[in-house]
Amino acid sequence: MSATITPVDAPGPDTAPTPAARLRRFARPGAALLSGFLLYLSFPPRPLWWLALPAFGLLGWTLGGRRLRAGFGLGYLAGLGFLLPLLVWTGEEVGAGPWLALAAVEALFVAAAGLGITAVSRLPWWPFFAAGVWILAEGARARVPFGGFPWGKVAFGQADGVFLPLAAAGGTPVLGFAVVLCGFGLYEACRRLRAYRATGAVPRGPLAAAALAVLVPVTGALAALPLVDDSAEDGTATVAAVQGNVPRLGLDFNSQRRAVLNNHVARTRELARAVKAGREPQPDFVLWPENSSDIDPYANPDAADVIDGAVRAIGVPTVIGAVVTPETGKLRNTLIQWDPERGPVATYDKRHVQPFGEYIPMRSFVRIFNSNVDRVSRDFGAGTKVGVFDLAGTKVGLATCYEAAFDWAVRDTVTHGAQLISVPSNNATFGRTEMTYQQLAMSRVRAVEHSRSVVVPVTSGVSAVIRPDGEIVSQTEIFTPDVLVEKVPLRSSQTPATRLGTLPEALLAALAVAGLGWAGARAVRARRTSAA
């Protein structure tokens, strides 16, 4: 019995993919990486905040209509394109391993967002649901693991942007939502315009969704402008921020503790001489940065003596950043209120200590991959009390360095009465990378979010004084000893963002969950219909 060759069995023409087809296969992965990189470029020190809009527009094209598995993979590529360059500073002194591991883990949250955006991309009004999904993923990333890592929230790239007033309306979640929504809306508007040119049909519902996705954020930002107020409700205060600088860059600055302390003492005494000579106004209080005295002044009388001498010379309350080393238990990253007459009178222990920087989770396991963990030979412990110091009648809220990235850590100080916020930091570990500028942008967003002046004293820079409208009125150069003396407005009223707290984020998360639930229900109905 001879075999019959069917059309399926018959050899056909060469079906090898053409070069153009091969390129099309890589179009969406390439677009995903590019969207993430554009989002990175929108962050400081570049004033290119507007690049976030095409970044999300391109991401919308990349994810729209894909399968869920593809959405996860494309989202992960977008996360790598964004976070690998954004977080490169984390490997400045400890090598590429920790940087790559951190970016790889954090990109998983972007991958989850990609999956969710893909799921809602076929829904009516999808840009709103998709923007909610992004904020939901940011909220998760800000909380887990190890207390979260909110670095790279979209809002932190918008300190120079037109949407910034929305920070005062609903905090970083509302600001970030507006940017993402506008980017997706611009893409959807372009998509509908292209469809109209091809078919001549005008789908009113989708077109209205696209228009509102653009107009709502822009209109909201304009409506929020009156919330941005830098008037002096409670008078003014003259504040001095001391940047003593460090002898050398990098992790080894901790071995130069006395030199760092001496630098801050010297700058403070220079300020005292300048005030006496009339070259500088008398400050109401002085702010030193985090780690300005890594020598515990409670345990080392010589350190206490030089600090006390500098504070007596300037004659006003001074906040000292110190490492406190109790005989037993964990170290403390402490801010000390030092009175010129009474010495240390109050303390604030940093509440959110940095994992893998100030303490090492799973130390024995992590050591297998990087021996640098043993540079942190003794873990820091977290404080429990909100930090608000009364400095010569001004209530100053304290958020130490890493805490500025966390919404709750800054808001708590304002709800506890802070009229001004201080963010003492130590960025010497990260050299001349973009880290210090990224962190400075956070403080600018916080200033608008809570309508407070923000003072950022940093050991090695960039130190800055920021008004409640987010404007930097003075700043230092990086790795340069300096002192900033400025008169700043004091305020006690609370913005809607301060009063509402986590409610806006919860509502946006609920929007995302509703969209995902709707998309899931539609998928189930579609499967049942096809099965029938």
Side-chain angles (χ1 to χ4, degrees), residues 56 69 110 115 197 264 327 364 373 382 402 427 466 508 532:
F56 283 103
R69 185 170 62 181
V110 184
L115 186 152
R197 288 179 175 176
H264 287 85
E327 291 185 5
S364 58
V373 298
Y402 185 57
N427 299 338
I466 305 165
L508 293 174

Side-chain angles (χ1 to χ4, degrees), residues 23-41 51-52 54-64 66 69-85 107 110-111 113-115 117-118 134 184:
L23 286 175
R24 283 195 295 272
R25 289 178 58 186
F26 292 102
R28 289 186 188 270
L33 285 167
L34 180 58
S35 68
F37 189 68
L38 286 175
L39 185 58
Y40 155 70
L41 291 177
L51 279 178
F56 283 103
L58 185 57
L59 186 63
W61 174 81
T62 303
L63 299 174
R66 301 295 96 191
R69 185 170 62 181
F72 184 88
L74 292 169
Y76 193 72
L77 289 176
L80 292 178
F82 172 44
L83 294 169
L84 278 172
V110 184
L115 186 152
I117 292 168
T118 299
W134 184 275
F184 286 150

Side-chain angles (χ1 to χ4, degrees), residues 221-248:
L222 292 174
L225 274 173
L227 298 176
V228 182
D229 187 351
D230 67 350
S231 60
E233 292 177 335
D234 303 330
T236 62
T238 300
V239 56
V242 176
Q243 177 174 302
N245 203 16
V246 298
R248 295 192 299 275

Side-chain angles (χ1 to χ4, degrees), residues 231-313:
S231 60
E233 292 177 335
D234 303 330
T236 62
T238 300
V239 56
V242 176
Q243 177 174 302
N245 203 16
V246 298
R248 295 192 299 275
L249 281 65
L251 288 173
D252 288 338
F253 83 92
N254 284 313
S255 65
Q256 311 159 51
R257 295 176 297 171
R258 187 54 189 257
V260 174
L261 172 57
N262 289 344
N263 285 352
H264 287 85
V265 167
R267 299 290 83 73
T268 304
R269 286 187 173 278
E270 286 177 6
L271 174 62
R273 290 192 291 270
V275 169
K276 187 175 182 180
R279 297 191 303 273
E280 291 283 2
Q282 173 68 54
D284 295 307
F285 51 90
V286 176
L287 302 174
W288 285 16
E290 176 191 32
N291 297 130
S292 46
S293 176
D294 272 352
I295 303 174
D296 184 352
Y298 296 112
N300 296 272
D302 57 334
D305 287 345
V306 296
I307 292 171
D308 195 63
V311 175
R312 286 179 179 274

Side-chain angles (χ1 to χ4, degrees), residues 304-515:
D305 287 345
V306 296
I307 292 171
D308 195 63
V311 175
R312 286 179 179 274
I314 193 62
V316 295
T318 301
V319 177
I320 310 299
V323 172
V324 175
T325 57
E327 291 185 5
T328 61
K330 296 180 178 181
L331 303 175
R332 297 287 173 174
N333 188 336
T334 300
L335 300 176
I336 304 172
Q337 179 182 344
W338 206 289
D339 186 84
E341 300 297 331
R342 296 177 292 159
V345 295
T347 60
Y348 166 67
D349 293 333
K350 187 177 182 180
R351 291 180 291 160
H352 200 307
V353 292
Q354 182 183 353
F356 304 103
E358 292 173 304
Y359 76 100
I360 305 297
M362 306 179 300
R363 183 183 291 268
S364 58
F365 175 75
V366 174
R367 187 183 293 115
I368 298 172
F369 303 97
N370 196 311
S371 61
N372 282 311
V373 298
D374 291 322
R375 292 192 181 188
V376 183
S377 58
R378 186 177 175 186
D379 288 342
F380 282 78
T384 58
K385 295 182 179 179
V386 179
V388 179
F389 286 168
D390 188 330
L391 303 178
T394 297
K395 292 185 177 179
V396 178
L398 306 165
T400 305
C401 195
Y402 185 57
E403 293 182 320
F406 294 86
D407 294 347
W408 60 268
V410 181
R411 177 178 177 269
D412 280 357
T413 69
V414 180
T415 58
H416 281 71
Q419 300 166 294
L420 176 149
I421 298 169
S422 176
V423 184
S425 303
N426 172 28
N427 299 338
T429 301
F430 305 109
R432 299 182 181 275
T433 65
E434 295 180 357
M435 180 271 183
T436 190
Y437 304 100
Q438 294 170 8
Q439 189 178 53
L440 180 60
M442 292 180 193
S443 294
R444 295 181 62 192
V445 172
R446 298 303 185 197
V448 174
E449 181 178 14
H450 300 293
S451 194
R452 294 292 186 272
S453 298
V454 178
V455 183
V456 187
V458 186
T459 51
S460 55
V462 172
S463 300
V465 178
I466 305 165
R467 293 180 68 87
D469 61 359
E471 177 191 0
I472 298 176
V473 294
S474 62
Q475 68 181 67
T476 66
E477 296 294 327
I478 197 167
F479 289 103
T480 304
D482 206 346
V483 177
L484 303 176
V485 183
E486 295 288 344
K487 181 180 289 187
V488 296
L490 303 177
R491 297 179 57 82
S492 56
S493 64
Q494 294 185 3
T495 64
T498 306
R499 293 194 298 270
L500 292 171
T502 59
L503 180 60
E505 184 180 34
L507 292 175
L508 293 174
L511 174 66
V513 171

Side-chain angles (χ1 to χ4, degrees), residues 46-253:
R46 294 160 296 278
L48 303 177
W49 60 269
W50 52 269
L51 279 178
L53 302 181
F56 283 103
L58 185 57
L59 186 63
W61 174 81
T62 303
L63 299 174
R66 301 295 96 191
R67 294 182 178 181
L68 296 184
R69 185 170 62 181
F72 184 88
L74 292 169
Y76 193 72
L77 289 176
L80 292 178
F82 172 44
L83 294 169
L84 278 172
L86 185 80
L87 302 179
V88 67
W89 51 267
T90 60
E92 178 70 8
E93 290 294 328
V94 293
W99 158 52
L100 295 173
L102 177 63
V105 170
E106 296 298 316
L108 289 171
F109 291 92
V110 184
L115 186 152
I117 292 168
T118 299
V120 303
S121 65
R122 292 183 175 88
L123 295 178
W125 301 83
W126 74 266
F128 291 84
F129 295 117
V133 167
W134 184 275
I135 299 305
L136 177 61
E138 280 195 341
R141 189 161 69 87
R143 290 170 172 82
V144 294
F146 310 119
F149 186 74
W151 213 278
K153 291 178 73 170
V154 169
F156 296 148
Q158 297 296 308
D160 291 306
V162 298
F163 299 104
L164 181 60
L166 287 167
T172 59
V174 168
L175 173 54
F177 176 81
V179 175
V180 179
L181 176 61
C182 193
F184 286 150
L186 287 171
Y187 160 65
E188 180 67 1
C190 292
R191 189 167 77 97
R192 293 300 168 183
L193 179 60
R194 184 178 180 184
Y196 168 72
R197 288 179 175 176
T199 65
V202 181
R204 294 184 179 179
L207 189 61
L212 286 175
V214 176
L215 292 175
V216 166
V218 174
T219 304
L222 292 174
L225 274 173
L227 298 176
V228 182
D229 187 351
D230 67 350
S231 60
E233 292 177 335
D234 303 330
T236 62
T238 300
V239 56
V242 176
Q243 177 174 302
N245 203 16
V246 298
R248 295 192 299 275
L249 281 65
L251 288 173
D252 288 338
F253 83 92

